[in-house]
Amino acid sequence: KAGVTQTPRYLIKTRGQQVTLSCSPISGHRSVSWYQQTPGQGLQFLFEYFSETQRNKGNFPGRFSGRQFSNSRSEMNVSTLELGDSALYLCASSLISGRNSPLHFGNGTRLTVT
Amino acid sequence: GQQVMQIPQYQHVQEGEDFTTYCNSSTTLSNIQWYKQRPGGHPVFLIQLVKSGEVKKQKRLTFQFGEAKKNSSLHITATQTTDVGTYFCAGRSVGNEKLTFGTGTRLTIIP
């Protein structure tokens, strides 16, 4: 079974631009979560989607948004990029949403904002 | 909001020595999960603990969940170079489905 696939692997953008990241979950997984990983802040929860609905949201500004499609694939969008948005963005899928579901992470998209 | 802290932040050990990382939550957890992230890689799920006082073993790794369900530990016996990486705990507060990751402990092994 294929793992979680994230595209692209690397991105370089300039301040003020916007970016869209894509995540394809493991086949059969209906929950997709997004995390931002930086050396200083660790793994920060962005949001979780299940059956095309946002279930939970972290403490990020409205510039960060996401969505999930009927095939469970998910995208996240960051508008008006800032230098501090440079990070590794990790997507994780799980079979269901909820407390007993381990997360399966993709390799991430490394975003650099200049 | 919920905070999950891990200590130590970094640990350097000689190969063959033991290693322990501790995880402390500001709130009572419904469960705790542990993940390992190798350098340059992504977090990989290791185990989940659900019951108060639960202890689980995976070969040289021993995981414990505290009686009050607010802390957890991971102990590695006789470390090997393959144990290198950052170990994260992650927990969900009771009544909150959001999974919060700990700050992580980076383990390096001196051969």
Side-chain angles (χ1 to χ4, degrees):
Chain A
K1 189 183 276 191
V4 177
T5 304
Q6 289 189 247
T7 56
R9 288 296 307 275
Y10 302 94
L11 263 179
I12 300 177
K13 292 284 187 179
T14 56
R15 277 180 297 176
Q17 287 187 313
Q18 75 162 15
V19 66
T20 299
L21 312 181
S22 180
C23 172
S24 292
I26 291 172
S27 178
H29 284 195
R30 297 171 61 192
S31 174
V32 173
S33 300
W34 289 88
Y35 286 84
Q36 181 195 66
Q37 186 172 32
T38 59
Q41 297 296 318
L43 277 159
Q44 299 289 312
F45 173 76
L46 282 156
F47 25 67
E48 179 195 4
Y49 287 87
F50 180 77
S51 293
E52 302 178 66
T53 302
Q54 187 178 88
R55 291 290 301 271
N56 290 289
K57 189 176 188 306
N59 299 322
F60 279 81
R63 301 185 296 107
F64 292 80
S65 63
R67 58 178 177 169
Q68 187 181 32
F69 301 95
S70 58
N71 61 358
S72 294
R73 191 178 69 85
S74 177
E75 289 181 347
M76 69 162 279
N77 183 276
V78 188
S79 62
T80 319
L81 284 167
E82 301 177 359
L83 294 178
D85 296 333
S86 294
L88 179 66
Y89 289 88
L90 290 162
C91 165
S93 74
S94 59
L95 195 57
I96 58 174
S97 175
R99 59 179 183 166
N100 290 329
S101 300
L103 300 183
H104 301 264
F105 283 86
N107 288 325
T109 294
R110 184 161 299 280
L111 172 65
T112 302
V113 182
T114 61
Chain B
Q2 178 193 15
Q3 290 187 336
V4 182
M5 303 298 294
Q6 281 182 255
I7 55 170
Q9 188 175 1
Y10 302 95
Q11 186 78 60
H12 311 282
V13 300
Q14 291 275 353
E15 187 174 8
E17 291 184 337
D18 292 356
F19 159 77
T20 304
T21 173
Y22 300 91
C23 173
N24 294 287
S25 171
S26 59
T27 59
T28 303
L29 302 172
S30 56
N31 63 17
I32 191 92
Q33 297 176 353
W34 284 91
Y35 293 79
K36 175 185 178 182
Q37 185 174 21
R38 293 181 185 274
H42 57 271
V44 174
F45 174 77
L46 293 176
I47 207 162
Q48 176 171 268
L49 304 170
V50 178
K51 300 176 183 176
S52 170
E54 188 171 12
V55 178
K56 285 189 176 180
K57 291 190 176 185
Q58 286 181 349
K59 297 183 180 178
R60 296 178 294 105
L61 278 62
T62 302
F63 304 84
Q64 291 188 322
F65 199 10
E67 293 290 342
K69 301 184 78 172
K70 294 184 73 173
N71 57 74
S72 181
S73 65
L74 158 59
H75 179 81
I76 302 178
T77 303
T79 54
Q80 300 174 358
T81 55
T82 53
D83 296 324
V84 164
T86 301
Y87 292 85
F88 292 96
C89 62
R92 290 184 171 91
S93 293
V94 174
N96 185 344
E97 294 182 348
K98 187 170 68 175
L99 186 66
T100 299
F101 277 77
T103 47
T105 296
R106 181 181 294 180
L107 172 65
T108 56
I109 307 289
I110 305 166

